Amino acid sequence: MIYQFEILRNLTFVEKKTFRLHFLHSILEGVILGLLALNEYIFIRSMKGSEFLLSILFTTTVFVLIFSVFSHEFLKRYKNKRKLLIYTAFVTRLPLLLLIFYPADPGTIANNIWYHYIFLLIFFLFYSFQPVVLPLINLFLKANYSNENFGKLYGLSTMGNKIVMLVITFLFGLLLDFDLTAFRYIYPFMGILGIISFYILSKIRVDTSIIEFERKSLLQVIRDSFLNSWSVLKSNRAFLNFQIAFMLYGFSFMITNVLVTIFYDQVLHLNYSSTAFYKNFYNTVAILTLPYFGNLIGKMKIQRFASMTFIFMFFYILFTALSEYIDKGWVLFDIRIVLMLIIAGISYGLFASTMSLLWSIGSAYFCSPDEAASYQAVHLTLTGIRGCIAPFAGVFIYKNFGFTVAFIIAMLLLVAGIIQTQFTKSG
């Protein structure tokens, strides 16, 4: 870990300035992610939302990524990309202020489905920042970090992000056990913090000059967006192989993600403090291992790195499923500690550490710096496509066949993803 911080002494002036802004942005986003870590559990436990609506809530977090295929063409033509970040911040994060008007009585919220619908709409708007901001982050960082330092500096920022996330998740869990509707006043604060975070990110300087593009209709832009995305996948075989493996993993992850929330509530009956404990536990593992993996991602083939990441996810699902049958554990300070979930947490922590790097910057390893936004846009769009199907599929399988069958299917998808990364030649 000390070695990771040593690299800060040898950075160029541009890299140092970029890293300061990126790191501060990551810290503020860590606060936001710490609060969001319990969001789905809030919906099903405090608001008593249905499992179907919970699937929609999960879907909204990734459905908006489909629009990355269109937003990329827009981003290429939008000259002032830094100002675009500010506009995006206000549109996506100000709606959180509406939660101030939610009643303090959880029963009132649970019995009025309109509160559930509004909650879903607010978070659909919240996550709609991703098709714009995520490709721009890759563009800004790729333009200012050298290839040698890219993974290392991103890893350090992510480590700081997760440390803050850990603390905030723990405190928010305690607050929610005390007040089930604490999200009413915490989430509006999160919205203001999000605007500040994007403003800081917009201070990273990057050459956003563009050539004059031919004027096109909306339909022409949509058509060209699909053609450009297909061209990227068709012309870069290595990137196509990477995305096929990611598609298999992604279905597994999204099926599991929605099921674990229901599993914690209906099978293990965990309170907020216990849920926060497990989220913090795996984040602690991720924090401790991020410096190592941030250095490793630049030294090994990205396909092998992906395979290792999927293996970590496989063991997380396996030990989570086993906790239903092997419930050996104990209670400490109102926190239910289950041995199988501890092992699952270690696996998920290693997964979270590697995936935070792989998902965010993995596509950048297949292209030149000026193509980083294009490749990330394709990556995000494919994420959105599987996000429209997987959460509902997960609930359908669980409803008809139970948790165990659903977890087994998720693990088989991961095995297929691992095979894809190992045996498919990259062109």
Side-chain angles (χ1 to χ4, degrees):
M1 187 176 293
I2 294 175
Y3 168 75
Q4 293 294 321
F5 286 98
E6 283 290 324
I7 69 169
L8 298 179
R9 298 180 180 178
N10 302 318
L11 299 179
T12 65
F13 173 78
V14 172
E15 284 180 320
K16 287 180 179 178
K17 184 175 181 180
T18 301
F19 178 72
R20 284 195 295 268
L21 293 169
H22 180 213
F23 188 80
L24 183 54
H25 162 75
S26 296
I27 294 299
L28 294 180
E29 288 298 305
V31 175
I32 293 170
L33 290 174
L35 297 173
L36 289 175
L38 299 172
N39 194 41
E40 288 80 13
Y41 210 55
I42 287 172
F43 187 77
I44 197 170
R45 187 174 180 86
S46 293
M47 299 178 63
K48 303 299 180 184
S50 68
E51 293 161 349
F52 174 74
L53 291 181
L54 178 66
S55 299
I56 294 179
L57 180 58
F58 271 106
T59 300
T60 59
T61 64
V62 289
F63 169 75
V64 294
L65 295 177
I66 290 179
F67 300 106
S68 298
V69 72
F70 311 126
S71 66
H72 170 61
E73 194 70 23
F74 169 73
L75 289 175
K76 288 196 299 185
R77 287 168 161 75
Y78 201 96
K79 188 170 185 179
N80 196 336
K81 294 177 174 59
R82 297 166 68 195
K83 186 176 290 186
L84 180 62
L85 283 173
I86 304 300
Y87 295 153
T88 303
F90 279 99
V91 170
T92 62
R93 304 201 163 183
L94 271 185
L96 286 165
L97 296 177
L98 293 174
L99 292 173
I100 293 175
F101 302 104
Y102 270 47
D105 177 32
T108 303
I109 297 176
N111 293 324
N112 190 332
I113 198 170
W114 284 105
Y115 287 121
H116 301 171
Y117 292 154
I118 294 171
F119 192 86
L120 294 177
L121 178 59
I122 288 173
F123 279 96
F124 174 79
L125 292 173
F126 176 86
Y127 285 109
S128 65
F129 79 89
Q130 294 179 104
V132 175
V133 176
L134 296 184
L136 288 182
I137 290 177
N138 252 25
L139 175 65
F140 285 15
L141 298 184
K142 191 73 172 178
N144 289 282
Y145 289 158
S146 66
N147 285 335
E148 180 184 0
N149 293 328
F150 190 22
K152 299 173 185 176
L153 294 175
Y154 199 97
L156 285 174
S157 293
T158 305
M159 183 176 65
N161 173 282
K162 289 192 174 295
I163 291 174
V164 173
M165 179 181 173
L166 183 152
V167 175
I168 296 300
T169 300
F170 172 73
L171 295 176
F172 195 34
L174 292 178
L175 179 60
L176 285 167
D177 276 331
F178 175 76
D179 179 5
L180 289 176
T181 61
F183 65 90
R184 296 179 302 111
Y185 47 87
I186 295 297
Y187 279 172
F189 164 76
M190 181 178 75
I192 301 300
L193 202 63
I195 294 174
I196 297 173
S197 171
F198 280 2
Y199 173 76
I200 291 170
L201 186 65
S202 74
K203 304 304 288 184
I204 296 177
R205 292 195 173 276
V206 63
D207 181 12
T208 57
S209 59
I210 59 172
I211 60 174
E212 290 297 323
F213 286 97
E214 176 188 355
R215 289 185 177 274
K216 296 180 179 180
S217 67
L218 178 61
L219 288 178
Q220 287 177 311
V221 169
I222 293 174
R223 183 201 63 188
D224 289 350
S225 296
F226 276 113
L227 291 176
N228 290 339
S229 297
W230 174 247
S231 176
V232 166
L233 292 171
K234 186 178 179 180
S235 63
N236 192 328
R237 184 63 181 271
F239 184 62
L240 174 62
N241 291 334
F242 178 73
Q243 289 303 324
I244 291 173
F246 238 93
M247 187 65 76
L248 293 166
Y249 143 77
F251 271 101
S252 173
F253 174 79
M254 292 176 187
I255 287 172
T256 304
N257 213 11
V258 65
L259 290 183
V260 167
T261 299
I262 303 170
F263 186 79
Y264 278 5
D265 183 53
Q266 295 189 4
V267 176
L268 302 181
H269 308 293
L270 300 182
N271 59 13
Y272 279 112
S273 297
S274 298
T275 304
F277 168 79
Y278 288 112
K279 289 181 179 291
N280 281 339
F281 179 73
Y282 74 67
N283 271 316
T284 301
V285 175
I287 290 165
L288 293 175
T289 56
L290 256 174
Y292 170 74
F293 288 122
N295 186 48
L296 184 64
I297 193 173
K299 294 183 177 180
M300 67 188 301
K301 289 184 178 180
I302 201 69
Q303 292 90 343
R304 290 185 59 194
F305 194 88
S307 179
M308 178 179 63
T309 302
F310 300 163
I311 290 172
F312 292 148
M313 182 67 186
F314 177 92
F315 284 110
Y316 162 68
I317 299 172
L318 174 63
F319 287 108
T320 298
L322 287 176
S323 68
E324 182 177 2
Y325 305 99
I326 307 174
D327 60 352
K328 181 177 177 58
W330 57 94
V331 176
L332 181 65
F333 301 118
D334 204 32
I335 296 174
R336 187 182 173 205
I337 301 174
V338 181
L339 179 60
M340 289 297 102
L341 292 186
I342 293 295
I343 300 174
I346 295 173
S347 300
Y348 195 85
L350 295 172
F351 161 78
S353 180
T354 51
M355 183 52 72
S356 62
L357 297 166
L358 184 67
W359 193 87
S360 300
I361 63 176
S363 60
Y365 282 84
F366 295 90
C367 62
S368 59
D370 60 304
E371 296 175 312
S374 301
Y375 275 62
Q376 186 68 352
V378 174
H379 175 65
L380 296 176
T381 300
L382 293 174
T383 301
I385 290 173
R386 58 183 175 261
C388 293
I389 304 170
F392 297 104
V395 171
F396 174 81
I397 296 169
Y398 139 70
K399 282 284 194 181
N400 289 276
F401 304 102
F403 284 110
T404 300
V405 172
F407 285 143
I408 289 174
I409 290 174
M411 287 189 288
L412 290 175
L413 286 169
L414 280 172
V415 170
I418 293 167
I419 293 172
Q420 168 68 17
T421 61
Q422 288 295 304
F423 297 104
T424 302
K425 293 182 179 180
S426 49

